[in-house]
Each structure stands twice: as structure tokens, then as C-alpha cells.
Amino acid sequence: MVMKVYSPEFKADAVALYLADPSHTFEGIGKDLGISRETLRNWVRAERARHGGGSTTSTEKNTVDSPPTAEELQAENEALRRELAAVRKENQKLATERDILRKATKFFAQGDDLVNRFQFIEDHHRAWGVKRLCAVLEVARSSFYKWRAGRAARAARERADVALAERIRAVHAEWDGTYGRPRITAELRDDGERVNHKRVGRVMRKFGIAGLRLRRRQVTTVPEPSATPVPDLFRRDFTASAPNLKYVGDLTYLPVGDGEFLYLATVIDCFSRRLVGWSIADHMRTELVADALRAAAATRGSLAGAVFHSDHGAQYTSREFADICDQLGVQQSMGTVGTSADNALAESFNAALKRETLRGARRYDGVRACRLAVFRWTTRYNTRRRHSANGQQAPIAYEQRSATLTLAA
């Protein structure tokens, strides 16, 4: 309880109310106004003293000016002691709350989350008690006790997350830090781990594990104005019902050394996303893309009847490349000039290759390092790297499984 402070107006009105009727008593008026008899008596005495007594009845003079009896003084002193005790108790309570908040301020320096409040109460309840701490921190006691009851389950979940993070790191490291949540989830499931992609993503975020991000692409398509127009037979449909029917290809740059470049030409099967042919050189002449197409023909045995889709780069629109397509029985298809989405499958392949071999670097260490990195990655791409379009299977495994299902049917 806090000692009340009354305004001068309230005191004046209280005295006037008492003096308005000789039948009024200190006890009665005090109860009506919520003040003690002794307090009202003092106000009336002070008011009479200021006015030098004035004209009063004998009853009022006897009531106001007569000295208080021993019993009245004792009662007044007792009331003052109770008020003083209440004020001291309130001050002690405020001091305790101040100490709690002062300590909590340091505890919550990294964030004032509800879980942090629960933990603070758990750590300090022996010093101040759960009830007081919950009141000061504005937390429901039932919520705190519920949180405390789940402590064992949270600890078990934390241990499980740590163990899963170690397995995720192992897969992440095996693939040079390039695998993200979907491929890591598929890898763990193949190893017998019963886990969904949401939990894998949560644990990866929690422990700071992430796949590589796409880098800004560089334009390498240089159209040849005099080229004969070629129709777009794909219309952005990069699916195929069987292998060796539809292919996409592209030419991309590979930065090496100090300002030098190698160039990579690719041929990718739309059915399985398998890289069936590729060629790398230090030039962008037509023979580079021609070598990649011939390599694809060697891998498949024949490309007769297949459709090959590319952009409008000068190498693909050249007469020389058209002749090679005719020799191999390949029909050409091209997307719109300057629209990368019309050859999105090949663009995505190039982005993934550079992202996962450069791993944040701007250039390869040299020509030899570049060739070896591309060779290793393209081989693993076909044999082991999981692809979302294949249900997280590697391209060759997807083709083999599809062939098995076809024979079984």
C-alpha cells in the first residue's frame, strides 16, 4: 500500500464538510471520504489555527481545540505505523523488481524472446521465486511450467539435430559444398535415414550449412545476321518420352588465369538430363560445338531422327554446323534471339557447373585445373549427382531404371 497524497482542494472540502453540520463526527466523515479519523482531525485543527478560531459553537471548540486523549494519540500512532510499514514493504517490492529487471536486461541483450524469458525464470527462480519472476516478466506461470515439462524432449531433439547436422555435413563435404536441401535429403534417404526435406532445411539453417548460389551469367551468344532462319520446335518444352529424341546444347565461357578463357560446348538429353557429349577448347569456333555433337553421336551410337535445340549463336547458325547436323541425321531447332528461357535447360546446366566447380571463386587456377575440374564434375553429374527432374536420381541411373521398367512392362 502506498501513502496517499491529498490535494489542498480535497483537504479544504473535507474540513468544510465536517464543519457544515455540528452532528458530524471525525469517525463518520472519515469513513465517507476514505481517510482516517486522526487525519481529518489534524486538517480541521490546522484550518481553525489559520483562522484564529473564528465563531464556532461550544461543541465544535471542544471537539477541535481540546487536546487529544491518550487513546486517540495511541490510535493515530498505530495508524501511522501501519502506513509506514506498508510504504516500506512497497519500496522493498519495487527494489526487488528493479534488481530483477536490471539482471534481465543483461540476459536479454541478444533478444527478448519468450523462450529467453522462460530460461531466465528457470535460472533465477531459487533467488526470487517463480511467481514473482513471472509477474515481473509478464509471463503466465502455466506457460512456464509447460515449457519446463518439455525440457527433456527439447534436449533429445537438440541431440538428434546435432547428429543429423553431422551427417548433412558429410554429404555436403562429399559434394564440395554444392548440394542443397533437396539433394542432401535424397542422399540421406538412400542411406536409410528417415527424414523429410523440411527438417533437413531447418537443420541446415540452424547450423549454417548451405549450397552454392547462382552467379551472374555472362552472355556468349553472338547471333549471325546472315544465318538461315531455323524454327523453334521445342517451345520451351524440355521433356522427352524416351532417350535420344530431344537434345539441347549451349556454349559457355570458363574464366582461367589472368583474363584468359576456355569454352565449353554441351549436348544434353532432355529425357534424363544426361550430358551425352561435350567439348572444351580455348576458342569459340564452330568446330567446338561440332565436336560436342559428334561426341554425343558416339555415346548414343546414332543421333538419327533426334532434334537438337540451341540458341542463335554464330556457331550454331553457321553453314558448317548445319552440314554436320545433316550428316548425323539431326534436325535443328532454335529459340528466340536474346531469350535465355528458350534454352533454359542448357543454361541451367552451365550455371550449375560453374557454381559447383568455382565455388565462389572468380576464376579457375589455370587451364589444367579448369579441365580437370570440368572432367570430374561432368562425370559425377552423369553417374552420381542427383537431379530434381529425375526424382533425385542421377541421369544414367534414371535411364537404366526407365529401361528396366520398359522391359518389365
Side-chain angles (χ1 to χ4, degrees):
M1 188 176 88
V2 180
M3 183 177 289
K4 296 181 180 178
V5 178
Y6 301 98
S7 66
E9 293 80 3
F10 181 88
K11 294 178 182 180
D13 290 341
V15 172
L17 178 61
Y18 170 76
L19 296 176
D21 190 335
S23 65
H24 287 166
T25 63
F26 291 123
E27 185 76 25
I29 298 300
K31 286 183 178 180
D32 290 343
L33 300 181
I35 58 178
S36 68
R37 180 183 60 181
E38 292 76 10
T39 299
L40 179 58
R41 185 199 300 275
N42 291 334
W43 291 351
V44 172
R45 185 183 292 127
E47 181 68 16
R48 299 298 297 167
R50 277 197 298 272
H51 290 83
S55 59
T56 61
T57 64
S58 59
T59 304
E60 289 175 349
K61 286 185 178 179
N62 291 335
T63 305
V64 176
D65 297 331
S66 61
T69 64
E71 291 78 5
E72 290 175 338
L73 289 174
Q74 184 177 359
E76 184 175 355
N77 289 338
E78 185 63 29
L80 291 173
R81 279 196 295 268
R82 286 196 300 269
E83 289 187 13
L84 180 59
V87 170
R88 286 175 176 171
K89 184 177 180 180
E90 183 67 21
N91 287 340
Q92 184 179 8
K93 177 185 175 183
L94 293 174
T96 302
E97 292 181 355
R98 179 198 61 199
D99 292 341
I100 292 173
L101 293 174
R102 183 180 295 164
K103 194 148 194 163
T105 300
K106 298 178 181 178
F107 191 88
F108 300 147
Q110 301 303 321
D112 183 15
D113 296 329
L114 185 59
V115 172
N116 289 344
R117 296 191 183 198
F118 288 155
Q119 190 61 55
F120 180 84
I121 296 171
E122 177 67 17
D123 294 347
H124 299 88
H125 73 278
R126 289 185 178 84
W128 289 303
V130 172
K131 182 177 180 180
R132 173 170 288 178
L133 287 169
C134 287
V136 173
L137 298 180
E138 299 179 348
V139 171
R141 272 186 289 170
S142 59
S143 299
F144 166 72
Y145 286 123
K146 185 177 180 180
W147 174 84
R148 177 190 272 181
R151 181 165 45 193
R154 288 195 303 276
R157 187 164 56 248
E158 181 66 24
R159 290 192 296 271
D161 284 352
V162 170
L164 179 59
E166 290 303 314
R167 292 191 287 274
I168 290 174
R169 284 195 183 97
V171 176
H172 194 251
E174 181 182 0
W175 287 93
D176 302 325
T178 60
Y179 265 18
R181 180 188 66 180
R183 292 188 176 91
I184 288 179
T185 303
E187 197 78 23
L188 292 173
R189 286 175 176 171
D190 274 4
D191 290 341
E193 184 79 31
R194 298 183 62 183
V195 64
N196 62 37
H197 67 281
K198 292 182 179 179
R199 186 181 176 207
V200 171
R202 177 179 62 81
V203 172
M204 290 179 69
R205 289 191 299 271
K206 180 178 179 180
F207 291 89
I209 306 170
L212 291 179
R213 307 288 182 184
L214 282 171
R215 294 173 61 86
R216 182 180 296 178
R217 63 182 296 272
Q218 194 79 10
V219 176
T220 55
T221 301
V222 182
E224 185 178 353
S226 60
T228 302
V230 175
D232 182 357
L233 303 178
F234 274 36
R235 299 294 179 184
R236 300 187 183 180
D237 179 10
F238 300 106
T239 61
S241 58
N244 203 26
L245 295 179
K246 295 169 66 176
Y247 293 93
V248 297
D250 196 15
L251 183 64
T252 190
Y253 79 105
L254 303 171
V256 297
D258 297 326
E260 298 178 310
F261 292 94
L262 290 180
Y263 300 92
L264 173 70
T266 56
V267 179
I268 303 167
D269 194 313
C270 292
F271 174 74
S272 62
R273 272 50 175 180
R274 179 179 177 180
L275 179 66
V276 293
W278 61 280
S279 180
I280 189 169
D282 59 358
H283 61 79
M284 294 177 63
R285 295 190 293 272
T286 302
E287 63 186 87
L288 176 62
V289 296
D291 288 344
L293 193 62
R294 291 192 184 98
T299 299
R300 291 301 195 193
S302 173
L303 296 180
V307 178
F308 177 77
H309 184 82
S310 68
D311 58 27
H312 279 261
Q315 301 82 0
Y316 295 112
T317 58
S318 67
R319 182 70 262 170
E320 180 184 351
F321 187 74
D323 291 342
I324 294 172
C325 288
D326 289 340
Q327 293 170 14
L328 298 175
V330 174
Q331 185 177 4
Q332 280 189 272
S333 170
M334 291 185 185
T336 306
V337 176
T339 305
S340 60
D342 285 351
N343 200 21
L345 195 160
E347 297 278 357
S348 176
F349 175 90
N350 293 337
L353 182 148
K354 286 190 276 191
R355 181 181 67 241
E356 296 182 12
T357 53
L358 283 169
R359 286 178 284 174
R362 298 182 63 86
R363 294 180 171 275
Y364 297 94
D365 289 339
V367 171
R368 177 176 171 77
C370 177
R371 288 179 179 272
L372 291 177
V374 171
F375 171 74
R376 177 174 181 264
W377 190 89
T378 53
T379 303
R380 295 181 86 193
Y381 171 87
N382 279 335
T383 59
R384 295 187 57 199
R385 187 182 183 276
R386 300 177 184 275
H387 204 297
S388 57
N390 299 339
Q392 298 301 350
Q393 296 182 70
I396 291 179
Y398 183 72
E399 287 188 358
Q400 292 172 344
R401 181 174 179 273
S402 299
T404 303
L405 292 176
T406 301
L407 291 174

